[in-house]
Amino acid sequence: PGGALWMGTFGGGLSVLDSDRENFRTFRRDLATPTSLSNDLVADIMMDRSGLIWLATQGGGVNLFSPQQQAFTSYQHNPEDSDSLLSNNVTSVYEDEQGILWIGTQDQGLTRFDRTRGQMTHYLSEPDNPQSLSFPFVTAIHKNRAGGLWVATRGGGLHQFDSTSDEFTNFRHDPADPLSISHN
């Protein structure tokens, strides 16, 4: 929380710079400790409204860190549970104004996580459906000032999600259109 800089690393876990002490504290995966970080490849970090830290890990799903307890809770793929993540290769995490978490993956699209209900809704890539994600690799999630959810993909362009219709509008590169997005 306040006064600290949180940094995800690609193989070194989570590093936190305490600006008061000018030193780093590192959290890494420890197989002997079930409440440790689930994977040392941290792709994204987000603090929710309540001060909890959410980490997107590549290979370890989503981790919830409680600064008060100094412990991690992991949300991972479970093939026997439809209310689990579809992939542990998580690239981004975002909280909207209703407290819903949006989780982007490297290989299974986007997941909407309603924490109050414990329910996950999955939005998969359906290349033949123009109202779906066009590519499963989500790199970033953000809402604009008007409330539109934007989803960036690696290879599939940019998508705007309409929560009323549960559909995406795709913005893709068109070589014949100089006013289209410059690259997918």
Side-chain angles (χ1 to χ4, degrees):
L5 178 64
W6 297 74
M7 294 167 282
T9 69
F10 198 73
L14 173 68
S15 292
V16 182
L17 174 62
D18 184 337
S19 60
D20 296 334
R21 295 187 193 143
E22 296 184 4
N23 60 17
F24 287 91
R25 178 149 188 224
T26 300
F27 298 92
R28 296 189 61 133
R29 181 177 185 198
D30 178 0
L31 294 175
T33 307
T35 58
S36 73
L37 185 63
S38 68
N39 193 290
D40 289 333
L41 301 173
V42 179
D44 195 16
I45 304 169
M46 187 266 315
M47 179 186 293
D48 72 13
R49 292 185 191 110
S50 65
L52 299 175
I53 308 297
W54 293 86
L55 305 164
T57 72
Q58 294 199 351
V62 175
N63 284 230
L64 169 61
F65 179 70
S66 170
Q68 291 77 22
Q69 297 174 349
Q70 295 289 294
F72 293 86
T73 302
S74 177
Y75 296 86
Q76 296 190 22
H77 172 65
N78 178 351
E80 298 173 10
D81 182 3
S82 62
D83 271 332
S84 76
L85 289 174
L86 292 180
S87 172
N88 287 330
N89 296 316
V90 179
T91 53
S92 54
V93 61
Y94 177 81
E95 180 189 36
D96 69 18
E97 62 277 355
Q98 284 89 30
I100 302 294
L101 286 186
W102 294 89
I103 301 164
T105 68
Q106 181 175 329
D107 50 1
Q108 293 293 324
L110 182 69
T111 295
R112 179 186 186 273
F113 181 24
D114 184 336
R115 294 179 284 170
T116 58
R117 295 182 183 158
Q119 181 182 22
M120 293 197 185
T121 305
H122 306 292
Y123 299 93
L124 302 175
S125 171
E126 300 174 38
D128 295 333
N129 179 356
Q131 284 82 36
S132 77
L133 281 174
S134 63
F135 204 73
F137 194 143
V138 174
T139 58
I141 307 162
H142 187 71
K143 276 211 173 185
N144 63 14
R145 291 181 188 161
L149 185 73
W150 291 89
V151 179
T153 65
R154 179 172 292 163
L158 181 66
H159 302 75
Q160 184 176 28
F161 180 71
D162 182 342
S163 59
T164 306
S165 66
D166 248 11
E167 294 179 343
F168 293 87
T169 301
N170 300 330
F171 297 90
R172 297 183 57 115
H173 175 65
D174 179 354
D177 183 357
L179 299 178
S180 70
I181 194 168
S182 64
H183 197 274
N184 289 332

